[in-house]
């Protein structure tokens, strides 16, 4: 009984870990990546524009 | 101080973050039980803390500089860096909680890492409260600078040292090496380390913008 339980425990360890390989191979992960990149690029442009406006105000002072 | 008005490092930081977003989601990662794809959180959660450490370090350096010279500008840098650090602190805590929900089973499991991070968060909130409760400018700057110098090492000990000395579930704690062979390989390092640098500079950028706004406000108040 004990040996049997050990055997199942080891068998469980050997099972491959499930990763999102299917999601990646189906190609749609790129949609998510692109979305995140668009969001970040938007934020970066926003930060740059704040920076530029600030520069103008600094020059006036 | 000319550095914060330059553009090249801001562009560099943005490009590096974009690289980590793409590479962090598409490159291969080690396969691990429980973690599964959440191992990719390392690329986005840990850099928040690195950005926080960077701006808090700048804050404490300028607090010391303020005490040495008494220059008002240094105090403004210190306070705006600390404010930016608090923002990244909150983001770090929230992303950590979300990850903990799906790996540890609960948003908040009173893990030593979570608890001491929460205490450190309150420590810096207290900095903000202390600062805003003093009206007189020089007194405020001096007292908050001294508080900042004490808060910084305590924050480091709370977040980096104490959780390592007890049993914490958090990777890199309770005897686990932080970015050791067990939970990381070189595929991850080529994304993680650029992410540390990039997000630190994003943090510095935001802090510098806040400082410049604060400086204009300060100069306006002086004239009136």
């Amino acid at each position: 009984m004990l040996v049997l339980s050990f055997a199942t425990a080891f068998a469980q360890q050997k099972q491959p870990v499930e990763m999102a390989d299917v999601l990646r191979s189906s190609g749609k992960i790129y949609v998510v990546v692109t979305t995140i990149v668009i969001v970040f690029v938007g934020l970066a442009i926003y930060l740059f524009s704040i920076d530029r406006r600030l520069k103008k105000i600094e020059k006036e002072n | 101080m000319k550095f914060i008005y330059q553009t090249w490092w801001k562009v560099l930081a943005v490009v590096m973050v974009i690289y980590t977003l793409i590479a962090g989601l598409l490159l291969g990662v080690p396969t691990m039980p429980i973690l599964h794809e959440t191992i990719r959180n390392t690329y986005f959660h840990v850099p928040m803390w690195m950005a926080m450490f960077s701006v808090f370090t700048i804050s404490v350096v300028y607090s010391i500089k303020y005490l040495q010279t008494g220059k008002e500008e240094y105090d403004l840098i210190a306070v705006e860096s600390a404010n930016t650090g608090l923002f990244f602190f909150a983001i770090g805590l929230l992303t950590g909680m979300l990850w903990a929900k799906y790996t540890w089973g609960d948003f908040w499991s009173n893990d030593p890492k979570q608890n001491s991070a929460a205490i450190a968060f309150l420590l810096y909130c207290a900095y903000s409260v202390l600062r805003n409760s003093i009206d007189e400018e020089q007194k405020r700057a001096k007292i908050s600078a001294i508080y900042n110098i004490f808060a910084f090492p305590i924050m480091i000990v709370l977040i980096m040292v104490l959780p390592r000395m007890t049993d914490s579930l958090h990777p890199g704690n309770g005897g686990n090496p932080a970015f050791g062979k067990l939970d990381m390989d070189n595929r991850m390092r080529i994304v993680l380390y650029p992410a540390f640098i990039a997000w630190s500079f994003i943090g510095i950028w935001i802090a510098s913008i806040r400082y410049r706004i604060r400086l204009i406000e300060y100069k306006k108040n002086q004239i009136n």
Side-chain angles (χ1 to χ4, degrees):
Chain A
M1 192 64 186
L2 199 70
V3 174
L4 205 71
S5 67
F6 270 125
T8 49
F10 278 115
Q12 267 177 352
Q13 267 183 0
K14 273 198 179 152
Q15 268 175 2
V17 175
E18 191 194 332
M19 301 292 270
D21 296 328
V22 183
L23 183 77
R24 211 154 265 102
S25 65
S26 75
K28 293 204 175 165
I29 184 69
Y30 296 107
V31 180
V32 183
V33 175
T34 317
T35 308
I36 295 171
V37 169
I38 289 170
V39 169
F40 184 75
V41 167
L43 279 174
I45 292 170
Y46 189 53
L47 263 178
F48 274 117
S49 78
I50 291 172
D51 207 309
R52 243 206 334 271
R53 267 172 71 186
L54 199 53
K55 237 171 222 169
K56 255 183 216 160
I57 295 169
E58 276 165 345
K59 263 181 201 154
E60 280 168 20
N61 277 12
Chain B
M1 287 311 294
K2 254 177 86 181
F3 180 72
I4 63 164
Y5 296 98
Q6 287 166 349
T7 312
W8 64 270
W9 59 274
K10 296 164 188 170
V11 176
L12 193 71
V14 167
V15 169
M16 276 167 83
V17 169
I18 291 169
Y19 156 71
T20 61
L21 292 178
I22 297 167
L25 286 163
L26 295 181
L27 286 190
V29 287
T31 49
M32 306 249 211
I34 303 167
L35 284 179
H36 302 275
E37 294 287 350
T38 68
I39 196 167
R40 294 181 197 277
N41 260 26
T42 324
Y43 302 139
F44 309 109
H45 162 73
V46 187
M48 295 302 117
W49 297 96
M50 286 301 148
M52 182 208 75
F53 284 130
S54 302
V55 285
F56 276 166
T57 307
I58 290 168
S59 175
V60 81
V61 165
Y62 277 94
S63 278
I64 294 166
K65 270 189 161 177
Y66 171 76
L67 290 177
Q68 280 174 339
T69 61
K71 266 178 91 174
E72 240 8 274
E73 282 89 345
Y74 292 161
D75 177 53
L76 300 181
I77 295 172
V79 64
E80 286 305 351
S81 298
N83 285 341
T84 312
L86 266 177
F87 170 75
F88 281 101
F89 208 135
I91 300 284
L93 270 180
L94 285 175
T95 53
M97 277 167 69
L98 180 68
W99 179 78
K101 173 72 184 167
Y102 295 98
T103 47
W104 302 349
D106 228 328
F107 286 114
W108 200 273
S109 45
N110 283 325
D111 185 78
K113 189 83 162 183
Q114 288 180 322
N115 280 346
S116 49
I119 297 166
F121 185 70
L122 293 178
L123 196 67
Y124 270 90
C125 287
Y127 168 79
S128 202
V129 172
L130 174 74
R131 210 193 145 78
N132 291 325
S133 63
I134 305 168
D135 277 331
E136 213 244 299
E137 256 178 41
Q138 282 190 330
K139 206 178 189 180
R140 175 174 63 199
K142 233 178 231 174
I143 290 172
S144 62
I146 293 163
Y147 180 88
N148 195 14
I149 292 166
F150 279 102
F152 182 73
I154 297 169
M155 182 271 295
I156 296 283
V157 168
L158 277 170
I159 294 178
M160 303 292 278
V161 183
L162 285 182
R164 270 159 217 252
M165 298 175 73
T166 53
D167 277 329
S168 169
L169 290 166
H170 195 280
N173 290 296
N176 309 325
F179 302 118
K181 274 181 190 152
L182 263 176
D183 42 24
M184 187 146 318
D185 60 12
N186 284 334
R187 285 181 299 174
M188 290 191 76
R189 287 201 180 86
I190 59 165
V191 180
L192 186 62
Y193 295 150
F196 284 174
I197 298 166
W199 281 105
S200 291
F201 277 106
I202 296 282
I204 293 167
W205 185 11
I206 295 168
S208 78
I209 286 176
R210 293 190 63 123
Y211 158 69
R212 284 156 67 186
I213 294 170
R214 181 68 79 114
L215 190 66
I216 291 168
E217 285 170 352
Y218 172 72
K219 278 178 182 165
K220 241 185 192 165
N221 286 340
Q222 255 187 340
I223 297 162
N224 291 341

